[in-house]
Amino acid sequence: MCRVVELRPDIPELGRTGRWSQLRRGTLIGLGMFAGLMAVIAVFGGWQEVSWGSVGGFLGAAGLMASVAVTEELLFRGVLFRIMEERTGTVIALVVSGLLFGAMHLINANATLWGAFAIALTAGVMLAAAYIATRSLWLPIGLHFAWNFTQAGIFGVTVSGSAVQSEGLLNVTLSGPSALTGGAFGPEASLFALLICMVPTILLLRRAARTGRIRPRPHRAKLST
């Protein structure tokens, strides 16, 4: 699409330089963040039951979540956010693309308005911030994959209000107030998920600001020149 429709000579957001290091970094951060979230939920008594799952579920989740991460990052950050940012600037594109990303999850069987809004803040904004800070899709792909895979493939908890029960190495059943566990939507709707995701989001946006990667609205750029 970039080469045929937009007539772009190259696609720097999918460049090879730093590809594997950014994927590794994103994967480690995403895994650590969700594991930290589950640890916090456990500390506050949100784990009701834990049992062993299956290696097959673990491997299946890896393949599925890799596909989901690549597809959604190409669509939402590589196309929607990037093109919107060219026309509206970084801030508006960040807000609108994040809300649209959250709204997309309203089609899930156990979706709630709060869950979709939480996804918009935790995933939509954080993943866009990862793209803005690096101007590459590899870091957000790694983050997205690890966050979802740790949910489904390791802890076996509900992903984004999906009706399909996750099966991973563990099967963790959560119970308690929705503010702690996220309720039927899953841990992503927990208030602790918002707090945990806020930290890398702020750090990434500060880095983007320091390196001049926050782009103003086009008409403001013209006035300033």
Side-chain angles (χ1 to χ4, degrees):
M1 191 203 78
C2 290
R3 288 177 176 154
V4 176
V5 178
E6 296 184 76
L7 302 179
R8 298 172 70 201
D10 59 354
I11 308 172
E13 61 269 23
L14 288 174
R16 295 184 178 183
T17 303
R19 173 177 56 186
W20 295 113
S21 63
Q22 289 192 40
L23 280 172
R24 284 193 299 270
R25 187 178 302 117
T27 299
L28 290 173
I29 293 172
L31 191 155
M33 286 170 58
F34 196 84
L37 171 60
M38 291 297 289
V40 171
I41 293 174
V43 167
F44 284 91
W47 287 32
Q48 179 182 16
E49 185 178 346
V50 183
S51 61
W52 287 108
S54 70
V55 175
F58 173 83
L59 296 176
L64 175 62
M65 296 311 171
S67 175
V68 168
V70 170
T71 302
E72 292 186 355
E73 290 313 305
L74 287 174
L75 176 62
F76 280 92
R77 263 57 69 177
V79 177
L80 178 64
F81 174 84
R82 178 179 57 80
I83 293 176
M84 187 180 298
E85 185 186 38
E86 293 173 357
R87 290 157 174 75
T88 66
T90 298
V91 175
I92 294 176
L94 183 68
V95 173
V96 174
S97 66
L99 290 174
L100 289 174
F101 187 73
M104 178 189 70
H105 293 81
L106 285 172
I107 65 174
N108 292 345
N110 296 313
T112 62
L113 285 175
W114 166 250
F117 184 65
I119 287 286
L121 292 177
T122 55
V125 175
M126 180 180 68
L127 294 170
Y131 170 74
I132 296 165
T134 60
R135 291 297 164 182
S136 168
L137 289 171
W138 298 120
L139 182 63
I141 285 173
L143 270 170
H144 196 154
F145 163 74
W147 178 269
N148 283 359
F149 172 65
T150 308
Q151 287 184 82
I154 296 179
F155 292 101
V157 293
T158 302
V159 179
S160 307
S162 174
V164 179
Q165 181 62 42
S166 300
E167 185 177 354
L169 287 178
L170 300 174
N171 291 321
V172 180
T173 302
L174 302 178
S175 67
S178 296
L180 172 64
T181 66
F185 192 85
E188 289 164 302
S190 166
L191 288 178
F192 288 105
L194 291 176
L195 295 175
I196 287 172
C197 291
M198 188 183 299
V199 175
T201 300
I202 292 173
L203 292 176
L204 287 165
L205 289 176
R206 288 184 62 184
R207 174 184 171 185
R210 287 198 306 269
T211 55
R213 288 175 172 166
I214 303 292
R215 297 175 180 173
R217 294 180 64 181
H219 73 275
R220 291 183 178 177
K222 290 178 182 179
L223 289 175
S224 65
T225 58

